[in-house]
Each structure stands twice: as structure tokens, then as C-alpha cells.
Amino acid sequence: MSGHPVQLEPSWKARIGDYLQRPEMQALAAFLRAEKQAGKHIFPPGPEIFAAFEHTPFDAVRVVILGQDPYHGPGQAHGLCFSVRPGVRVPPSLENIFKELQREPGIARPDHGCLTPWAERGVLLLNSVLTVEEGRAGAHANRGWEGFTDAAIDALNHGRAGLVFLLWGAYAQRKGRLIDADRHCVLKSVHPSPLSAHRGFLGCGHFAAANRYLASRGEPPIDWSLPPHDALVATAGA
């Protein structure tokens, strides 16, 4: 997409790779190329568009967090919903996520907003729309990404059992129509945005509830803690 060869992680490619050949996805690829040729800045960078799948292969998924579209400020988006690169100021919604983690299960606020360690522990951090134009939230909505990410959720719904889906806000909950709540654990609340977090996100207990559900199935909990910035950067550079 966007001029870069598609590098969809193999286990995901086996399940949803064919979707990329659909006419609407070809039209999306052409749109992204034209936008870049027109000099528009598209986030995240091309090689990171499919980062959520790269960091969390299909059979490694244990929890799914659904976002809407990437951050649209320079240097923020890197392909994982709610996450920003190390060293980038933590956005308000992520600050509220960290507040809820402090409340329950009592995890200290990290000194950065990079959630890559979560992704590598089985938390699929999936936006519904995988690209955005700089400074224009929602600019790439209804261009085709929604059907592709629906296909990913549908594959998880039918191909896996006992996953935890965290659906924060009306947008994520509409996408949740694809999930069989008898087969998976579906947790819903308002969005962690400052506009809504105090109406139910803060106090929702989702992180602890996810781990209780996993434990009920005899599975280990998710480690929701994040390493310090310096350790994360050192690991990335190793």
C-alpha cells in the first residue's frame, strides 16, 4: 500500500491476504499512491501500516483492542492503536488508559506511550482504518480499510476461541457486531478520550477483567506493565 510492497505477516496473510486483491483494496492502494504523489503526508509510514499484524501473529492473539484511525500528528502513529513512538508526548486518551491501569490492576504509569510490548505479548492493537492524512482525523475513513479490518476480526471470531475484545466507544462497539459473545469475552465502555472517560472508562476495570477471564480458561494473564523508555529503546536497538 501507498507505494510500498505489502508485507502482511504470514499467518495473517494466509487468512486475510486474499482480501487485499479485492477491487476496493486496489482502489484504496491507488488512492494512497495518488495522495502521496500530491505531496500529502500519510501516517503511519508505509512499512508500518500493517504493524499490528506483524507484532501479533494470528495464533498469538489473546486480547484485541480496537481503535478508530491513526494519530494524525507528525511522528505519532506507528501502526498500533493508541500507541506512540518512544519519546513522543503521550496523547490524552492514552493518559486515561494509563490512569485506569494505575487504578486496577495497580500498574505505575510508564514514562512513555509505546505499547509495542503489549503487542508482543498477544494484545492486537488494531485500528479500523490503517492510514490517515496529516492533520486530518478520519481523512481515510470509508476508503476501504474498514472492510479489511472487519475481515481480520471475522477471522479471529471464527478461527479462535476465548479471546478478550476491549471495545471502547460507540465506533469500536459497532465493529463488535462481528464478535460472538458466547465464544469470546466482550468488554465495553465509553472511549478513553477526555471527552468521555469520566462517564465510565475510568473505573471500568477492563484490564483486570481481561486477566480474570484468561485465568478462568487456565491461561496466563497479560503483563500490562511497560519497560522504562531507556530499556525499550535499548531493546529496539539490539
Side-chain angles (χ1 to χ4, degrees):
M1 312 298 288
S2 71
H4 294 269
V6 170
Q7 297 291 339
L8 193 56
E9 190 278 333
S11 69
W12 283 104
K13 186 175 182 181
R15 290 167 175 86
I16 60 173
D18 287 349
Y19 196 97
L20 293 171
Q21 307 309 315
R22 292 191 180 202
E24 60 266 38
M25 296 305 290
Q26 299 298 310
L28 171 61
F31 164 75
L32 292 172
R33 285 193 296 269
E35 291 289 276
K36 290 197 75 171
Q37 288 166 4
K40 295 180 180 178
H41 295 136
I42 307 300
F43 302 137
E48 293 179 325
I49 289 174
F50 295 109
F53 302 106
E54 186 67 32
H55 286 290
T56 317
F58 184 83
D59 291 319
V61 176
R62 304 172 67 214
V63 175
V64 181
I65 298 179
L66 291 178
Q68 192 159 349
D69 66 344
Y71 294 123
H72 54 83
Q76 289 183 305
H78 64 126
L80 306 177
C81 74
F82 293 106
S83 181
V84 291
R85 299 176 187 280
V88 174
R89 182 179 179 183
V90 175
S93 291
L94 185 53
E95 284 284 8
N96 283 329
I97 289 171
F98 289 157
K99 284 180 184 177
E100 179 59 17
L101 277 168
Q102 284 181 288
R103 194 195 68 83
E104 185 184 17
I107 291 172
R109 185 198 181 283
D111 60 354
H112 61 87
C114 180
L115 305 182
T116 301
W118 288 6
E120 292 173 346
R121 296 169 191 160
V123 182
L124 181 66
L125 298 167
L126 183 64
N127 278 314
S128 176
V129 175
L130 299 188
T131 57
V132 71
E133 180 185 339
E134 180 178 6
R136 293 188 61 217
H140 294 177
N142 302 313
R143 288 284 182 175
W145 280 126
E146 292 91 344
F148 176 71
T149 51
D150 278 358
I153 295 168
D154 188 60
L156 287 169
N157 180 54
H158 290 99
R160 297 288 310 281
L163 302 181
V164 181
F165 288 84
L166 304 184
L167 307 181
W168 299 333
Y171 187 92
Q173 288 166 25
R174 284 196 298 273
K175 211 167 179 67
R177 74 190 186 283
L178 301 163
I179 304 160
D180 180 352
D182 293 327
R183 188 178 174 88
H184 304 281
C185 175
V186 179
L187 301 175
K188 301 178 181 179
S189 86
V190 298
H191 195 275
S193 159
L195 298 175
S196 58
H198 291 280
R199 299 202 306 269
F201 178 79
L202 296 173
C204 70
H206 280 184
F207 299 105
N211 280 347
R212 285 195 298 271
Y213 176 78
L214 293 171
S216 76
R217 295 177 53 84
E219 298 179 23
I222 298 290
D223 177 5
W224 294 109
S225 66
L226 292 168
H229 174 271
D230 291 349
L232 188 72
V233 172
T235 301

